[in-house]
Amino acid sequence: MKKIICIDCETDGLDVNTCNLAGVAISIEKNQGWYVPLEKKNKVGSDAISFLKDLLGNPQLIVVGHNLKFDLQVLKNHGIQVNGEIHDTMVMDYVLSPQRKKHGLKLLSKIHLNYDQLSFDKMMGNHGSIWEVPIKTLTKYACEDTDQTLQIFHHLNPRIQESGVGNIYDLDRKLVAVLARMESNGVAIDQKLLKSIAKKLQDDSLVLEESIIGDLIPEINLNSTKDINWLLFEHYAIPPIGKKTKQGNYSVSKKVLSKLSADHLIVKELLELRATKKVLSTFIPALSNLNPLTNKLHCSINQTVTETGRLSCSKPNLQNIPSRTIGKMLRQCFVPSSKDHVLIGADYSNIELRVMAVLSQDKNLLNAYKNGIDVHRLTACKLLGIKNIEDVDDMQRDVAKSLNFGLIYGMGAHGLAETLSNVTKKQHTPQQAQEIIDSYFANYTDVAKCKENLIYQATVKGYTETLFGRKRPIPDINSNDSIKRQMSKRLAMNTPIQGTAADIMRMAMVNIDQQLTKQKLKSKMILTVHDELLFDVPKHEITIMEELVRHEMENAAQIGIALEVDLKTGNNWAEVH
DNA sequence: TATACCGCGTT
DNA sequence: GACGTACGCGGTATAG
């Protein structure tokens, strides 16, 4: 029987890479806790540190905590390694209730144990820093945290087994340390290149601004939808199209302005200016503030946010760095950590469509993937009555592709018509789109059956689940509100697909991390963007890493058909994507 | 200052 | 009346 130990780090900040460890609370049994204070900032080598090193280094322990991704990094930064089996109450609550918007300890304590915990702010009182708080106060607070965490652990553990999410939890708890390592690794950003890109975009935006506003009305704010309404629809008297927003203005979204841009240069320039300003205000600052200690960017990779099982990324969000639009040049700034390193980027090819093939067991789709047939071209053949796959042109393939993806998202006739119009540059009516949808399901009958079955299952059970048993409640599936009901039906279909792909990615990440450690490789996993992984690799490990990453990703799960990975090696993210 | 909404980047 | 999943985040407008 392994010993269960619950820990919680108290720090003088929330940024793992700059904060100092003030102390660690430890609980082993209910209503019993210790607080190990560090007398001074960064007193590495002190008695407390060596005590913690010895204690937490024991691989035979079960180490329980709340949001251990944070604690693991702080401890590591102070030279303390945790080697036991990790359990995390935040992750536990997430796999049981992914729809809950927050999984904070104090909240869970209230929900699961009906206990009102002392808040951090109250504990701090008027003290400016944690180092000024009396040890007695700190001890009470910290030990309450571990005590509650331990009780929540014992409370949720049986529920996870009863709910059938034991396997998913087992996967997720292993991911905690992996994400901690990834965040800690960080991403190197070429600041010199970033600055030169910023300079160029700044110049561009000034030129555009001058052209749009000129010396006419210098006080106009081109960020304001209100001002743009005035500028376009009153001052330039462009006939407005589209509908008004709740605030009483006409929509001036990209969608609307794109339609006007063909006839009005000013609108075209406005769109260009907007795109440029978006990069300048959102992405450039996000990449500019490197951690002074590591000289890298350390984002948060969030494990307990999405309702589908995907990971999310924040502070900054590196999952929405442009890859197609004007800002895609920023990806050149994502570089290896040193001259002797390269980046490896690895993408799952068509993973969501493959998952759909597996979930539906559709013979046409399965057969296509087994024989290496391009599924988008296959769809084009079936829908457009083309006999040979070689005769499908690129436009037809694009149409089919948007259909394949639209289906995954549960797109309706209206949305598909919109998408088709954008792809083909010709107007499509919702009626035409509906015919195409009908034709799609007539050709992929098993997909249609699968969709109906997923909706039925959700209706009966109140939740939908992935191939590996990650569950997501769909409370509104039987709602009287038809909008809510329609949305729920889309979720019932989309979540198993998106979520299964996410499960596979999580498995791949755990397995790759395990191999990196086992083989004592210097390569680091540094980023994940849903179906893509990014690695920082010493040049002498390129060959072994290419093989390892491909193997672990392609074999992360056996789902009945092959998973395929596109892999590239290069000197920046733009090159390897 | 906090919240809501718009708009937009990724998958 | 809306119509495509899942997010994070910058900006403006509005309420308090």
Side-chain angles (χ1 to χ4, degrees):
Chain A
M1 195 65 179
K2 286 185 175 178
K3 233 185 204 169
I4 297 175
I5 173 172
C6 183
I7 60 166
D8 183 35
C9 293
E10 303 305 326
T11 63
D12 58 5
L14 290 174
D15 178 350
V16 285
N17 286 296
T18 52
C19 73
N20 298 289
L21 184 58
V24 181
I26 299 165
S27 282
I28 294 178
E29 274 175 47
K30 189 174 170 179
N31 295 328
Q32 232 186 65
W34 294 264
Y35 183 64
V36 182
L38 274 67
E39 289 129 25
K40 287 181 190 165
K41 283 190 186 183
N42 285 324
K43 206 178 171 193
V44 181
S46 70
D47 287 351
I49 294 278
S50 25
F51 170 75
L52 291 167
K53 269 186 183 172
D54 287 347
L55 179 70
L56 300 177
N58 180 358
Q60 295 306 313
L61 289 179
I62 289 177
V63 179
V64 177
H66 189 82
N67 190 16
L68 275 173
K69 178 163 67 81
F70 175 83
D71 300 63
L72 291 178
Q73 290 182 76
V74 173
L75 289 169
K76 188 192 151 202
N77 287 345
H78 291 76
I80 301 163
Q81 183 131 358
V82 177
N83 292 322
E85 179 182 311
I86 283 168
H87 286 262
D88 191 317
T89 46
M90 191 165 87
V91 174
M92 293 174 104
D93 190 66
Y94 170 70
V95 298
L96 283 167
S97 308
Q99 78 286 9
R100 213 197 306 283
K101 299 295 174 204
K102 290 185 155 65
H103 306 275
L105 176 59
K106 275 66 174 176
L107 177 69
L108 299 194
S109 184
K110 180 68 187 165
I111 290 173
H112 297 300
L113 309 172
N114 194 27
Y115 183 80
D116 289 300
Q117 258 185 277
L118 181 66
S119 74
F120 183 83
D121 289 347
K122 282 224 172 107
M123 180 273 290
M124 286 293 288
N126 291 323
H127 296 294
S129 103
I130 199 163
W131 301 100
E132 294 163 9
V133 179
I135 292 294
K136 204 176 162 187
T137 311
L138 214 47
T139 300
K140 184 169 182 299
Y141 170 80
C143 291
E144 189 167 274
D145 266 10
T146 49
D147 186 48
Q148 291 295 304
T149 302
L150 192 56
Q151 289 189 50
I152 293 167
F153 168 74
H154 288 303
H155 179 78
L156 295 183
N157 213 10
R159 298 183 180 213
I160 284 175
Q161 305 311 322
E162 287 160 19
S163 306
V165 289
N167 288 338
I168 281 298
Y169 173 65
D170 213 44
L171 167 64
D172 280 3
R173 65 167 196 77
K174 289 177 191 162
L175 190 62
V176 172
V178 178
L179 298 184
R181 281 190 275 279
M182 289 174 71
E183 288 184 359
S184 174
N185 291 336
V187 183
I189 306 286
D190 183 339
Q191 290 295 314
K192 217 171 147 187
L193 180 57
L194 185 65
K195 285 209 173 76
S196 78
I197 290 173
K199 174 80 172 67
K200 185 196 174 302
L201 293 177
Q202 189 61 248
D203 293 346
D204 289 353
S205 82
L206 287 178
V207 171
L208 285 165
E209 217 156 28
E210 170 71 19
S211 171
I212 294 166
I213 307 181
D215 45 7
L216 267 176
I217 343 110
E219 69 275 18
I220 197 165
N221 181 356
L222 289 176
N223 285 326
S224 162
T225 52
K226 209 176 171 181
D227 284 14
I228 291 177
N229 261 257
W230 180 85
L231 182 76
L232 295 184
F233 305 133
E234 291 188 33
H235 185 264
Y236 285 112
I238 296 171
I241 57 171
K243 46 192 183 296
K244 289 194 176 186
T245 64
K246 283 176 188 171
Q247 288 169 351
N249 300 313
Y250 287 103
S251 168
V252 287
S253 67
K254 194 163 81 170
K255 198 179 105 188
V256 170
L257 292 196
S258 299
K259 286 177 185 164
L260 296 171
S261 65
D263 298 328
H264 307 277
L265 179 63
I266 196 95
V267 178
K268 189 164 171 265
E269 287 174 331
L270 181 58
L271 282 171
E272 204 179 326
L273 174 67
R274 243 193 216 168
T276 308
K277 284 181 117 174
K278 169 90 176 172
V279 177
L280 280 170
S281 67
T282 305
F283 299 116
I284 303 265
L287 304 183
S288 297
N289 292 316
L290 302 188
N291 184 292
L293 299 178
T294 63
N295 214 22
K296 287 189 191 154
L297 195 56
H298 301 268
C299 64
S300 299
I301 305 173
N302 313 309
Q303 191 179 357
T304 60
V305 171
T306 74
E307 296 191 41
T308 54
R310 273 188 172 181
L311 298 168
S312 86
C313 180
S314 56
K315 296 188 293 183
N317 181 4
L318 298 181
Q319 292 182 326
N320 71 342
I321 301 300
S323 74
R324 294 189 297 273
T325 48
I326 176 172
K328 68 183 175 191
M329 62 182 85
L330 289 180
R331 293 196 174 215
Q332 295 167 6
C333 300
F334 288 68
V335 292
S337 62
S338 86
K339 272 188 168 178
D340 312 321
H341 288 221
V342 293
L343 294 183
I344 291 181
D347 283 56
Y348 277 115
S349 155
N350 272 338
I351 188 163
E352 291 189 341
L353 269 182
R354 283 172 204 265
V355 168
M356 189 169 80
V358 170
L359 292 181
S360 65
Q361 286 295 301
D362 186 278
K363 292 201 176 42
N364 287 313
L365 287 176
L366 287 177
N367 191 45
Y369 280 119
K370 273 176 187 153
N371 296 305
I373 296 168
D374 181 322
V375 168
H376 299 317
R377 289 188 192 280
L378 176 72
T379 299
C381 283
K382 292 190 175 296
L383 291 184
L384 308 173
I386 302 165
K387 275 194 186 140
N388 297 314
I389 233 157
E390 306 84 57
D391 296 337
V392 177
D393 67 32
D394 287 351
M395 169 80 87
Q396 290 165 329
R397 184 179 184 275
D398 282 351
V399 170
K401 186 176 172 181
S402 52
L403 197 62
N404 281 328
F405 280 111
L407 184 96
I408 289 175
Y409 299 138
M411 193 189 261
H414 181 275
L416 182 64
E418 190 82 36
T419 305
L420 288 177
S421 303
N422 289 336
V423 172
T424 62
K425 311 289 177 204
K426 281 189 220 162
Q427 270 310 117
H428 289 256
T429 65
Q431 287 74 25
Q432 289 170 321
Q434 187 58 53
E435 284 172 24
I436 296 178
I437 291 173
D438 292 341
S439 161
Y440 187 100
F441 286 120
N443 277 285
Y444 295 114
T445 51
D446 296 324
V447 174
K449 280 182 205 155
C450 172
K451 181 181 171 182
E452 289 313 312
N453 184 44
L454 287 171
I455 292 169
Y456 173 73
Q457 293 293 325
T459 310
V460 175
K461 295 190 288 196
Y463 64 84
T464 190
E465 63 183 319
T466 68
L467 193 58
F468 304 100
R470 188 185 300 277
K471 294 173 168 58
R472 175 186 187 178
I474 315 264
D476 293 331
I477 191 82
N478 294 312
S479 168
N480 290 326
D481 183 337
S482 81
I483 300 286
K484 284 185 180 172
R485 214 168 51 240
Q486 290 306 320
M487 170 63 99
S488 298
K489 286 183 179 183
R490 286 197 292 273
L491 300 183
M493 170 90 178
N494 175 264
T495 299
I497 297 170
Q498 195 181 104
T500 300
D503 290 342
I504 293 171
M505 181 53 101
R506 288 186 184 218
M507 294 176 201
M509 291 170 72
V510 167
N511 293 345
I512 289 170
D513 178 78
Q514 202 173 49
Q515 286 301 318
L516 292 181
T517 307
K518 192 177 160 192
Q519 300 187 31
K520 297 192 169 67
L521 294 166
K522 295 274 186 288
S523 296
K524 309 281 188 200
M525 186 152 48
I526 55 176
L527 204 56
T528 169
V529 190
H530 309 310
D531 62 1
E532 172 188 8
L533 287 174
L534 203 58
F535 297 87
D536 181 67
V537 175
K539 284 177 178 167
H540 63 90
E541 288 181 2
I542 291 176
T543 312
I544 188 169
M545 279 298 287
E546 285 178 340
E547 197 174 323
L548 187 160
V549 169
R550 182 186 297 282
H551 181 266
E552 294 301 338
M553 285 177 78
E554 292 186 342
N555 294 286
Q558 305 303 322
I559 59 171
I561 57 173
L563 293 171
E564 206 176 286
V565 168
D566 294 327
L567 204 139
K568 284 181 190 163
T569 303
N571 288 309
N572 62 59
W573 197 7
E575 283 183 8
V576 303
H577 182 64

